[in-house]
Amino acid sequence: MADIAKTLPLKRSSVQSAHERIKQHIHRTPVLTSTTLSNLASTPQTQESLIGTPFEGQTPAHPKINFFFKCENYQHIGAFKIRGAFHALSRLSEEELSRGVVTHSSGNHAQALALAARTYGIPAHIVMPTISTPSKIAATQGYGAKVYFSGSTSDEREAVVKDVIKDTGAVLVPPYDHPDIILGQGTMALELEEQAAELVREDPTLSVHHNQKEGMNGHVNEVDSTHNSSPSRLDAVIAPIGGGGMLSGIATALHGTGTFVFGAEPSFEGADDARRGLAAGKRIPTVKTLTIADGLRTPVGEIPWTIISDKSKLRGIYAVTEEQILAAMRLVLERMKVFVEPSAVVGLAMALYDEEFRHLVEKEGGEKGWNVGVVLSGGNTTVEAIGKMFAVSEQKGERQEGKMGAQGEKVAENVAG
Amino acid sequence: MADIAKTLPLKRSSVQSAHERIKQHIHRTPVLTSTTLSNLASTPQTQESLIGTPFEGQTPAHPKINFFFKCENYQHIGAFKIRGAFHALSRLSEEELSRGVVTHSSGNHAQALALAARTYGIPAHIVMPTISTPSKIAATQGYGAKVYFSGSTSDEREAVVKDVIKDTGAVLVPPYDHPDIILGQGTMALELEEQAAELVREDPTLSVHHNQKEGMNGHVNEVDSTHNSSPSRLDAVIAPIGGGGMLSGIATALHGTGTFVFGAEPSFEGADDARRGLAAGKRIPTVKTLTIADGLRTPVGEIPWTIISDKSKLRGIYAVTEEQILAAMRLVLERMKVFVEPSAVVGLAMALYDEEFRHLVEKEGGEKGWNVGVVLSGGNTTVEAIGKMFAVSEQKGERQEGKMGAQGEKVAENVAG
C-alpha cells in the first residue's frame, strides 16, 4: 500500500482529490428523503419506551429531525467499501500495481478489492477464513480474485497474507487503517452535501431551513453561527463506526463546513468500543462481540482514532441496542422499501431512539430542527438472515417492536421515491 | 362512481388525460436498471432447471433481455393502486364527492382510496373482513378512513357496503372493474416510456438499440417493422395480472405504440385464470387460490377482460410457479436491494424462467435483444412474512433456489443506483 509518509494530508481538499480519482469507477448513489421516517424521528418516544434507560421518568425529547439518506447499499458490491479500494489502487505506482494486491477479509472489503483489482486488470489475492459463508467466497471469486483459506484468528490470517506477499510481491491493502482508504470512504460525504443541495433546489420544503421565518410559535429560530447559511445545509451527518475508515473519512471531508459529524455503533457485548474509548480518553484495541451489525464488530483502527478523538472533527458517538437496530431495520425495509443490512441502520436507530442525541437536537435545532444526513452503508444480507433476525426478536416478545409500533402508527405517509 | 356510460373511451389519449389529472398527487416513481438482472435474464437456464416442464430435453432459450424496472413500490401507500383511486375521485362531481366514497378491500386499494379521500377532504368508508391483519386495519384508519367490519365472503362484504351506501349515500369505488380505475393505473406506462427515454438519453448504452450495427456476429439485426424506431423504445412491457386493472390500463396506454404488452400471473392452485381464460376463449369468473402473490388471487374483472382478450392490445400471458416467484423476489431484494412484495415480481419471474416467453424474445429480438419494461407493482409486506416464505422454501429443499443459484453465480455486478 502507498507509504503512509507519502499520502495526502487528512483534510477536506484531499477527499476532493480522492473523489476526482475514483468518481469514474463508483456509483453516485442516490440520496433519498422519507416523510414517514422524518415524522417518526420528530415524534417524542413514549415514556414507557424509556423504562430501563438513564432517561426513565424524564420527559422524552421532542426534536425536529429531517433525514437525507445516502444509500450506499446501491453502491457497486452493495456497500461503500469500493470507494476506499479504488482510491487505494489509484495511488499505487505502475510497478506496485503490476505486483497485484492482497488483503484478508471475509466481508465487503474482500469483494471491493477484488472488483477494483479486476477493473485495474491486476491480480487480487484475498485471504478468507475457511469458515466463511460459501456465497461470500463465491462472490469474491466471481470478481476474479484468487481466494486463499486460513484459520479464523488474526494471527492465522496474517500468516497466510505474509506467505502471499512473499510468493507474489503483492501490495497489502488494509480494510480501514490507512489514509488512502479513509480519504476514499470520505468521498460519500461530498456527494451527500451536493445531492441534498440539489434536492432542496428542486423542492425547498425538503429542508428545515427553507423558511427562516417559520416556527411552531411564529418565533424566528436562531441558527448556530458556526453553521453555514445555505438553506440546504446539513446540520449533522451520522455514520456507523466499526474500524472507523468511513466515519473518519466523513469527519475529514466535512471538517470546517459547519456540519457536525456523529458516529453510531452497537452496544451489544461491548461493540461500542469507540464510545467507550472516547469516554476513557484512550483507544480500545480489541473487541469481541457478535452484534447483528456484523460489519461493526471491529475495534477502531489507529489512524481513524486520531480523527474521531478530535473534538473539532467529531461531535460525538452514541450506541444503540440490538432491538433498536432491528426496529430501525424494519422501518427502512417495510416503510422506505430499501433493502439494507443491520450495520447500515445504526445511524438511523441513534436518531430515532437515543435520548441524549435527541435532546441535543431539540436544544440546538429548536423549533426549526436539523437536517440530518444518515449513511445507509450497505445492503449485503440475505432473506434467510432477515427471517432469523426477526424470528428471534419475535420469540423475545418483541418488546422493542411494541414500543416502536406505538410511535409508528402516528405516521402513514409513504417514502418519496 | 362515475357512470360507466359517461367515462372516457379506453384509449391512450384517455390515459394521458388521466395522467394530467392525477400527476400532482402521485409520485413519479423511479425507473431502475440492473446489469446483474439483465445479464441473468440473458443467460440460458440450465437443462436441469427445465426438468418437469414442457421444455425438458430441449435447448434452453438464449434471449437478450435488458430490463427497465418501474418501481411502484415507491408509490404513495407502497403500491400503484393510488393512481386509480385518485383518478376515480377526479372524475366525480362536487355533489358526489360531498357524499364520500366506499369500497371493500383488505389490501392496497383500501389504503389507496383512504389516502385519496383524505387528500380530497371527503369521507372514506372501507369495509374490511374482521380477519384482516391488524396492521392493515390500522394503516387504513391512519389515513382517516372509517373502517367497517364484515365476514370474509363476497356476499357478506357487499351486504355491509350496501348498508353504508344506504346510510351515507357514499359512492362506490371498485378496485379494478371500472374504466376510471383502468385509465388511472395505465398512467404508469406513460411515465415508464418517458423515463426509459430519459435514462437512454443520459447513457445510450442502457438501450439494446443504441447501436443498430452492433451484433454478436457483426450482423445487423432486423427490427420488427411494427416497432417505433427510437433508440430508447421499449420492445415489451410486462405487468402482473390479478383483477386486471393495471394490466389493461397499461395495454390501453401502449396500444398503437409498437410496444408489446404481456401479463404475468401465478400458476398455483389455478391462479392463472387469465391465461386459462384466454386459452378457452372465455373469462373465468372465480378463482380460489392461496398463492404467495396475494395481490393476484382475484379473477380478471369484466372490463379488464375486454382489453386483455384483444390480441391487438395484449400479446400474451404467462404463468410462473411459487418457487419462481420466490427466486425472483430473492434477486430483487438481495441483488437490487429493492424491497418488494411477492405479487410485484411475477413479471420478472416470467422473463427469467418462462421458456416460451424467452424463446419468443430470442426469435424476435435476435442478437440485439429486447428492452423490456417490468412493473414492480408494490412493496407492502413484512420482515416476518419474508422470513416465513423463505423458511418454507428452505424446508422444501430449495430446489428452485439451487437451480437459480447456478445461473446467479455467473454475474457479480451490482445494480445501478
Side-chain angles (χ1 to χ4, degrees), chain A residues 6 24-25 62 72 80 122 144 150 168 172 210 227 238 250 284 324 331 344 357 367 395 397 412:
Chain A
K6 294 181 195 155
Q24 62 178 312
H25 296 304
H62 193 171
E72 286 287 294
F80 70 96
I122 63 170
S150 75
T168 64
L172 178 66
H210 74 281
H227 280 199
I238 310 174
I250 291 170
I284 293 172
Q324 289 169 335
L331 289 169
F357 175 75
E367 287 163 2
Q395 282 161 16

Side-chain angles (χ1 to χ4, degrees), chain A residues 37-39 41-42 63-67 208 351 357-358 361 369-370 372:
Chain A
L37 294 198
S38 293
N39 285 351
S42 303
K64 181 152 185 343
I65 293 177
N66 188 33
F67 290 124
V208 298
F357 175 75
R358 293 171 60 80
V361 178
W370 272 9
V372 177

